[in-house]
Short mmCIF file of all heavy atoms in Angstrom, two decimals:
data_model
loop_
_atom_site.label_atom_id
_atom_site.label_comp_id
_atom_site.label_asym_id
_atom_site.label_seq_id
_atom_site.Cartn_x
_atom_site.Cartn_y
_atom_site.Cartn_z
N SER A 8 12.05 -1.90 -32.24
CA SER A 8 12.60 -0.67 -31.65
C SER A 8 12.95 0.35 -32.73
O SER A 8 12.72 1.56 -32.55
CB SER A 8 13.84 -1.00 -30.80
OG SER A 8 14.86 -1.52 -31.61
N ILE A 11 9.67 1.80 -34.18
CA ILE A 11 9.06 2.80 -33.28
C ILE A 11 9.81 4.12 -33.39
O ILE A 11 9.22 5.18 -33.55
CB ILE A 11 9.09 2.31 -31.81
CG1 ILE A 11 8.16 1.12 -31.61
CG2 ILE A 11 8.69 3.45 -30.87
CD1 ILE A 11 8.21 0.51 -30.20
N ARG A 12 11.13 4.03 -33.36
CA ARG A 12 11.92 5.26 -33.39
C ARG A 12 11.69 6.02 -34.70
O ARG A 12 11.48 7.23 -34.70
CB ARG A 12 13.39 4.92 -33.23
CG ARG A 12 14.22 6.19 -33.08
CD ARG A 12 15.68 5.89 -33.18
NE ARG A 12 16.27 5.57 -31.89
CZ ARG A 12 17.58 5.58 -31.67
NH1 ARG A 12 18.39 5.87 -32.62
NH2 ARG A 12 18.04 5.28 -30.48
N SER A 15 8.10 7.48 -34.87
CA SER A 15 7.72 8.48 -33.87
C SER A 15 8.61 9.72 -33.94
O SER A 15 8.51 10.60 -33.09
CB SER A 15 7.77 7.88 -32.45
OG SER A 15 9.07 7.44 -32.14
N HIS A 19 8.03 13.00 -31.79
CA HIS A 19 9.05 13.42 -30.81
C HIS A 19 9.39 14.89 -31.00
O HIS A 19 9.47 15.66 -30.05
CB HIS A 19 10.30 12.56 -30.92
CG HIS A 19 11.33 12.88 -29.88
ND1 HIS A 19 12.25 13.89 -30.03
CD2 HIS A 19 11.53 12.38 -28.64
CE1 HIS A 19 12.99 13.97 -28.94
NE2 HIS A 19 12.58 13.07 -28.08
N SER A 22 6.72 17.08 -29.49
CA SER A 22 6.76 17.14 -28.02
C SER A 22 7.92 17.99 -27.56
O SER A 22 7.79 18.87 -26.71
CB SER A 22 6.94 15.73 -27.42
OG SER A 22 5.72 15.07 -27.31
N GLU A 23 9.07 17.71 -28.17
CA GLU A 23 10.30 18.39 -27.79
C GLU A 23 10.18 19.90 -28.06
O GLU A 23 10.67 20.72 -27.30
CB GLU A 23 11.43 17.80 -28.64
CG GLU A 23 12.80 18.13 -28.23
CD GLU A 23 13.79 17.51 -29.23
OE1 GLU A 23 13.36 16.80 -30.16
OE2 GLU A 23 14.98 17.76 -29.08
N GLY A 24 9.53 20.22 -29.17
CA GLY A 24 9.45 21.62 -29.59
C GLY A 24 8.26 22.37 -29.01
O GLY A 24 8.10 23.56 -29.27
N MET A 28 8.08 23.32 -23.24
CA MET A 28 9.37 22.65 -23.10
C MET A 28 10.49 23.54 -23.61
O MET A 28 11.51 23.74 -22.94
CB MET A 28 9.35 21.37 -23.93
CG MET A 28 9.74 20.10 -23.28
SD MET A 28 10.86 20.15 -21.92
CE MET A 28 9.89 19.38 -20.69
N SER A 29 10.31 24.11 -24.80
CA SER A 29 11.41 24.89 -25.36
C SER A 29 11.65 26.14 -24.52
O SER A 29 12.80 26.50 -24.27
CB SER A 29 11.16 25.22 -26.83
OG SER A 29 9.95 25.88 -26.98
N LEU A 32 13.52 25.19 -21.35
CA LEU A 32 14.94 24.91 -21.58
C LEU A 32 15.73 26.15 -21.96
O LEU A 32 16.95 26.19 -21.82
CB LEU A 32 15.09 23.82 -22.64
CG LEU A 32 14.61 22.44 -22.18
CD1 LEU A 32 14.81 21.40 -23.26
CD2 LEU A 32 15.33 22.00 -20.91
N TYR A 107 -4.75 11.65 -20.38
CA TYR A 107 -3.55 10.79 -20.48
C TYR A 107 -3.62 9.70 -19.40
O TYR A 107 -3.45 8.50 -19.69
CB TYR A 107 -2.34 11.71 -20.29
CG TYR A 107 -0.95 11.15 -20.53
CD1 TYR A 107 -0.72 9.87 -21.03
CD2 TYR A 107 0.17 11.95 -20.28
CE1 TYR A 107 0.58 9.41 -21.24
CE2 TYR A 107 1.46 11.49 -20.49
CZ TYR A 107 1.66 10.23 -20.96
OH TYR A 107 2.94 9.77 -21.17
N TYR A 127 7.47 2.72 -22.48
CA TYR A 127 8.57 3.10 -23.37
C TYR A 127 8.63 4.62 -23.55
O TYR A 127 9.70 5.24 -23.40
CB TYR A 127 8.38 2.41 -24.72
CG TYR A 127 9.13 3.08 -25.86
CD1 TYR A 127 10.47 2.78 -26.11
CD2 TYR A 127 8.51 4.06 -26.64
CE1 TYR A 127 11.16 3.42 -27.12
CE2 TYR A 127 9.20 4.70 -27.65
CZ TYR A 127 10.51 4.38 -27.88
OH TYR A 127 11.21 5.03 -28.87
N THR A 128 7.51 5.23 -23.91
CA THR A 128 7.53 6.66 -24.27
C THR A 128 8.02 7.51 -23.11
O THR A 128 8.78 8.46 -23.29
CB THR A 128 6.13 7.12 -24.72
OG1 THR A 128 5.67 6.24 -25.73
CG2 THR A 128 6.17 8.55 -25.26
N ARG A 129 7.59 7.20 -21.91
CA ARG A 129 8.04 8.00 -20.78
C ARG A 129 9.47 7.64 -20.35
O ARG A 129 10.34 8.50 -20.28
CB ARG A 129 7.09 7.84 -19.58
CG ARG A 129 5.79 8.61 -19.65
CD ARG A 129 5.90 10.12 -19.77
NE ARG A 129 7.11 10.72 -19.27
CZ ARG A 129 7.38 12.03 -19.33
NH1 ARG A 129 6.52 12.87 -19.88
NH2 ARG A 129 8.51 12.51 -18.86
N TYR A 130 9.73 6.38 -20.06
CA TYR A 130 11.02 6.07 -19.42
C TYR A 130 12.20 6.18 -20.39
O TYR A 130 13.28 6.62 -19.99
CB TYR A 130 10.99 4.70 -18.77
CG TYR A 130 10.05 4.62 -17.58
CD1 TYR A 130 8.91 3.82 -17.64
CD2 TYR A 130 10.29 5.34 -16.42
CE1 TYR A 130 8.04 3.74 -16.56
CE2 TYR A 130 9.42 5.27 -15.34
CZ TYR A 130 8.31 4.47 -15.42
OH TYR A 130 7.44 4.40 -14.35
N LEU A 131 12.04 5.77 -21.65
CA LEU A 131 13.17 5.95 -22.55
C LEU A 131 13.42 7.42 -22.83
O LEU A 131 14.56 7.85 -23.03
CB LEU A 131 13.02 5.12 -23.84
CG LEU A 131 13.96 3.89 -23.79
CD1 LEU A 131 13.63 2.98 -22.67
CD2 LEU A 131 14.06 3.20 -25.10
N GLY A 132 12.34 8.21 -22.80
CA GLY A 132 12.50 9.66 -22.91
C GLY A 132 13.23 10.22 -21.70
O GLY A 132 14.14 11.04 -21.82
N ASP A 133 12.85 9.74 -20.51
CA ASP A 133 13.50 10.22 -19.29
C ASP A 133 14.99 9.88 -19.30
O ASP A 133 15.81 10.63 -18.80
CB ASP A 133 12.85 9.59 -18.04
CG ASP A 133 11.39 10.00 -17.90
OD1 ASP A 133 11.01 11.07 -18.42
OD2 ASP A 133 10.62 9.23 -17.28
N LEU A 134 15.32 8.72 -19.86
CA LEU A 134 16.73 8.29 -19.89
C LEU A 134 17.49 8.90 -21.07
O LEU A 134 18.67 8.62 -21.25
CB LEU A 134 16.80 6.75 -19.98
CG LEU A 134 16.37 6.00 -18.71
CD1 LEU A 134 16.31 4.50 -18.97
CD2 LEU A 134 17.31 6.30 -17.54
N SER A 135 16.80 9.69 -21.90
CA SER A 135 17.45 10.32 -23.06
C SER A 135 17.47 11.83 -22.84
O SER A 135 18.32 12.34 -22.12
CB SER A 135 16.69 9.96 -24.34
OG SER A 135 16.55 8.58 -24.49
N GLY A 136 16.48 12.52 -23.42
CA GLY A 136 16.41 13.97 -23.23
C GLY A 136 16.25 14.36 -21.78
O GLY A 136 16.72 15.42 -21.35
N GLY A 137 15.61 13.50 -20.99
CA GLY A 137 15.34 13.82 -19.58
C GLY A 137 16.61 14.11 -18.79
O GLY A 137 16.63 14.98 -17.93
N HIS A 139 19.30 15.45 -19.90
CA HIS A 139 19.71 16.81 -20.29
C HIS A 139 18.80 17.86 -19.63
O HIS A 139 19.27 18.85 -19.08
CB HIS A 139 19.67 16.88 -21.81
CG HIS A 139 19.71 18.26 -22.38
ND1 HIS A 139 20.85 19.03 -22.33
CD2 HIS A 139 18.77 19.01 -22.99
CE1 HIS A 139 20.60 20.20 -22.90
NE2 HIS A 139 19.34 20.21 -23.31
N ILE A 140 17.50 17.60 -19.67
CA ILE A 140 16.54 18.55 -19.10
C ILE A 140 16.84 18.75 -17.60
O ILE A 140 16.84 19.86 -17.10
CB ILE A 140 15.09 18.04 -19.31
CG1 ILE A 140 14.75 18.00 -20.80
CG2 ILE A 140 14.08 18.92 -18.56
CD1 ILE A 140 13.47 17.22 -21.14
N ALA A 167 22.59 4.62 -21.44
CA ALA A 167 22.64 4.13 -22.83
C ALA A 167 22.57 2.60 -22.86
O ALA A 167 21.86 2.01 -23.68
CB ALA A 167 23.90 4.63 -23.51
N LYS A 170 19.08 1.46 -22.02
CA LYS A 170 18.17 1.61 -23.17
C LYS A 170 18.40 0.53 -24.22
O LYS A 170 17.46 0.07 -24.85
CB LYS A 170 18.35 3.00 -23.80
CG LYS A 170 17.77 4.12 -22.94
CD LYS A 170 17.71 5.43 -23.70
CE LYS A 170 19.09 5.95 -24.00
NZ LYS A 170 19.08 7.26 -24.66
N ARG A 174 15.59 -1.91 -25.62
CA ARG A 174 15.26 -2.06 -27.06
C ARG A 174 15.36 -3.53 -27.48
O ARG A 174 14.58 -3.99 -28.31
CB ARG A 174 16.19 -1.19 -27.90
CG ARG A 174 15.91 0.29 -27.75
CD ARG A 174 16.61 1.10 -28.85
NE ARG A 174 16.65 2.50 -28.49
CZ ARG A 174 17.71 3.12 -27.96
NH1 ARG A 174 18.84 2.45 -27.76
NH2 ARG A 174 17.64 4.39 -27.65
N LEU A 177 12.14 -5.01 -26.61
CA LEU A 177 11.10 -4.64 -27.59
C LEU A 177 11.23 -5.55 -28.82
O LEU A 177 10.23 -6.06 -29.34
CB LEU A 177 11.27 -3.19 -28.04
CG LEU A 177 10.80 -2.09 -27.09
CD1 LEU A 177 11.21 -0.73 -27.65
CD2 LEU A 177 9.28 -2.14 -26.88
N VAL A 194 2.24 4.36 -29.05
CA VAL A 194 3.37 5.26 -28.77
C VAL A 194 3.06 6.65 -29.32
O VAL A 194 3.27 7.67 -28.64
CB VAL A 194 4.68 4.70 -29.39
CG1 VAL A 194 5.78 5.77 -29.37
CG2 VAL A 194 5.14 3.45 -28.66
N ALA A 197 0.73 8.32 -27.06
CA ALA A 197 1.41 8.76 -25.83
C ALA A 197 2.15 10.07 -26.07
O ALA A 197 2.11 10.99 -25.24
CB ALA A 197 2.39 7.67 -25.35
N TYR A 198 2.82 10.18 -27.22
CA TYR A 198 3.49 11.44 -27.54
C TYR A 198 2.47 12.57 -27.62
O TYR A 198 2.71 13.68 -27.16
CB TYR A 198 4.22 11.34 -28.88
CG TYR A 198 5.64 10.82 -28.77
CD1 TYR A 198 6.00 9.58 -29.25
CD2 TYR A 198 6.64 11.62 -28.19
CE1 TYR A 198 7.31 9.12 -29.17
CE2 TYR A 198 7.95 11.16 -28.10
CZ TYR A 198 8.27 9.92 -28.59
OH TYR A 198 9.57 9.48 -28.50
N ASN A 201 1.54 13.85 -24.31
CA ASN A 201 2.60 14.67 -23.71
C ASN A 201 2.62 16.07 -24.31
O ASN A 201 2.77 17.06 -23.60
CB ASN A 201 3.96 13.98 -23.88
CG ASN A 201 4.18 12.90 -22.84
OD1 ASN A 201 4.51 13.20 -21.69
ND2 ASN A 201 3.93 11.65 -23.19
N THR A 202 2.44 16.14 -25.62
CA THR A 202 2.41 17.45 -26.28
C THR A 202 1.22 18.26 -25.78
O THR A 202 1.35 19.46 -25.50
CB THR A 202 2.34 17.27 -27.81
OG1 THR A 202 3.46 16.47 -28.21
CG2 THR A 202 2.39 18.61 -28.53
N PHE A 205 1.90 19.77 -22.43
CA PHE A 205 2.76 20.97 -22.56
C PHE A 205 1.93 22.16 -23.06
O PHE A 205 2.10 23.28 -22.59
CB PHE A 205 3.90 20.72 -23.55
CG PHE A 205 4.93 19.73 -23.07
CD1 PHE A 205 5.60 18.91 -23.96
CD2 PHE A 205 5.26 19.63 -21.71
CE1 PHE A 205 6.55 18.00 -23.53
CE2 PHE A 205 6.21 18.73 -21.28
CZ PHE A 205 6.86 17.92 -22.20
C1 HEM B 301 13.17 19.29 -24.88
C2 HEM B 301 12.79 18.09 -24.67
C3 HEM B 301 13.47 16.86 -25.20
C4 HEM B 301 14.75 16.67 -25.63
C5 HEM B 301 15.89 17.68 -25.66
C6 HEM B 301 14.85 15.29 -26.04
C7 HEM B 301 16.00 14.70 -26.55
C8 HEM B 301 16.12 13.38 -26.90
C9 HEM B 301 17.31 12.78 -27.46
C10 HEM B 301 18.62 13.50 -27.74
C11 HEM B 301 17.03 11.48 -27.69
C12 HEM B 301 17.96 10.45 -28.35
C13 HEM B 301 18.69 9.62 -27.33
C14 HEM B 301 19.31 8.36 -27.91
O1 HEM B 301 19.35 8.16 -29.11
O2 HEM B 301 19.74 7.56 -27.09
C15 HEM B 301 15.69 11.26 -27.25
C16 HEM B 301 15.07 10.05 -27.27
C17 HEM B 301 13.81 9.84 -26.82
N1 HEM B 301 12.91 10.77 -26.34
FE1 HEM B 301 13.26 12.72 -26.14
N2 HEM B 301 13.65 14.67 -25.85
C18 HEM B 301 12.79 15.60 -25.34
C19 HEM B 301 11.48 15.42 -25.02
C20 HEM B 301 10.84 14.21 -25.03
C21 HEM B 301 9.47 14.00 -24.64
C22 HEM B 301 8.52 15.07 -24.14
C23 HEM B 301 9.23 12.67 -24.79
C24 HEM B 301 7.97 11.91 -24.51
C25 HEM B 301 7.36 11.95 -23.38
C26 HEM B 301 10.44 12.05 -25.27
C27 HEM B 301 10.60 10.71 -25.53
C28 HEM B 301 11.74 10.14 -26.03
C29 HEM B 301 11.89 8.72 -26.28
C30 HEM B 301 10.84 7.66 -26.04
C31 HEM B 301 13.18 8.54 -26.77
C32 HEM B 301 13.83 7.21 -27.15
C33 HEM B 301 13.77 6.95 -28.62
C34 HEM B 301 14.37 5.59 -28.91
O3 HEM B 301 15.58 5.54 -28.98
O4 HEM B 301 13.64 4.63 -29.04
N3 HEM B 301 11.40 13.01 -25.42
N4 HEM B 301 15.15 12.43 -26.77
#
Side-chain angles (χ1 to χ4, degrees):
S8 63
I11 292 176
R12 187 190 271 197
S15 61
H19 184 274
S22 276
E23 192 183 357
M28 232 332 122
S29 56
L32 291 181
Y107 188 5
Y127 159 85
T128 308
R129 282 300 336 178
Y130 293 114
L131 255 62
D133 297 335
L134 290 173
S135 306
H139 165 71
I140 295 167
K170 287 191 293 183
R174 290 194 196 99
L177 283 173
V194 168
Y198 271 111
N201 279 281
T202 303
F205 292 148

